[in-house]
Amino acid sequence: MTNKMGTVNQPNSAHSIAVILPYFGNFPNYFPLWLASCAANPSVHWFVFTDSKVAYDYPSNFTVVHCTLQDVELWAQDWLGADIPLIRPHKLCDFKVLYGGIFAKWIEGYTHWGYCDVDLIFGDIRAVVTDEILENYDKVFSLGHFAVMRNQPQVHEMIKAFALGPGVKEYVLLNPHTTLFDEWYGKWNVNQLFTDHGLSIYDPHCMTDAYVGS
């Protein structure tokens, strides 16, 4: 079941952003604060895939798709191959950069798509991710909690081919542990893939990484 679908554009902007968030189980108690920060960014549209039945007051820039982790696993297998398991919800971290292909039908019409976590409070996203940045960079941000990239089939297929390649498939997709495939740099990492293919990444220091433990 879905609600509130539709492409939302920044006024007078040639670029639109869809952000994908699969989340299974109970949302954290600060989830309404996260929703409020998303609501303050009406030009970005969020797609939440969840099995939560809690009646949150979702903002108008949200589409909620009620589904199970097994549903997402089937959609992933349709695109990546029948032998790719999801194993457990936290393993979704390694699939974040593949969401553009897995959830392609939901983000049609958007020029850019992204992924994020819920342990965030967003500021004014478009003040940092400007039209100029979206026009001139292929990927915005290198870490796993929030990133945006071009919504282009050739980019989706490049990441898919890399993820299914020798060594990477075994180390990343078939590995029951998370591997940081979506962040940092290294031999088997999506940011290194972009760099190796001459694609540009915009990575400013504009986020506060707050550790509540200290």
Side-chain angles (χ1 to χ4, degrees):
M1 181 176 64
T2 64
N3 69 326
K4 302 175 182 174
M5 289 191 68
T7 303
V8 180
N9 288 285
Q10 178 83 343
N12 303 315
S13 172
H15 302 286
S16 53
I17 302 174
V19 179
I20 300 170
L21 174 72
Y23 196 98
F24 300 97
N26 296 323
F27 285 107
N29 60 1
Y30 52 78
F31 186 62
L33 296 176
W34 180 81
L35 287 176
S37 73
C38 295
N41 286 277
S43 68
V44 178
H45 197 89
W46 273 265
F47 289 85
V48 175
F49 298 82
T50 184
D51 58 359
S52 172
K53 298 299 194 299
V54 178
Y56 291 103
D57 185 17
Y58 285 99
S60 59
N61 57 333
F62 268 69
T63 294
V64 181
V65 181
H66 293 290
C67 62
T68 65
L69 179 65
Q70 289 68 38
D71 291 325
V72 174
E73 182 178 52
L74 289 174
W75 299 334
Q77 290 174 341
D78 283 344
W79 193 56
L80 296 169
D83 62 333
I84 303 298
L86 271 181
I87 305 168
R88 58 194 173 95
H90 193 256
K91 183 60 180 176
L92 283 165
C93 291
D94 281 336
F95 285 76
K96 284 179 178 176
V97 296
L98 297 161
Y99 289 169
I102 296 171
F103 300 100
K105 71 177 184 179
W106 280 277
I107 59 173
E108 289 179 359
Y110 292 88
T111 63
H112 292 75
W113 75 276
Y115 48 83
C116 73
D117 294 332
V118 297
D119 56 346
L120 304 171
I121 298 296
F122 287 106
D124 185 350
I125 293 173
R126 290 297 190 116
V128 179
V129 187
T130 63
D131 270 5
E132 182 180 6
I133 297 302
L134 293 173
E135 186 70 33
N136 291 295
Y137 290 86
D138 300 291
K139 188 171 184 286
V140 182
F141 305 131
S142 64
L143 297 180
H145 53 283
F146 180 52
V148 175
M149 67 185 77
R150 298 187 193 276
N151 186 19
Q152 297 176 338
Q154 59 267 36
V155 176
H156 305 331
E157 291 298 328
M158 176 191 73
I159 299 173
K160 174 184 176 180
F162 178 62
L164 294 175
V168 186
K169 178 179 177 180
E170 290 74 20
Y171 177 72
V172 176
L173 298 186
L174 301 181
N175 188 342
H177 305 290
T178 53
T179 65
L180 299 180
F181 185 55
D182 59 319
E183 57 185 347
W184 304 114
Y185 289 82
K187 180 180 179 182
W188 291 329
N189 176 274
V190 72
N191 296 314
Q192 193 64 50
L193 171 67
F194 270 64
T195 300
D196 291 346
H197 281 74
L199 300 178
S200 54
I201 300 176
Y202 181 68
D203 203 14
H205 297 289
C206 61
M207 299 183 186
T208 297
D209 191 1
Y211 176 56
V212 296
S214 60

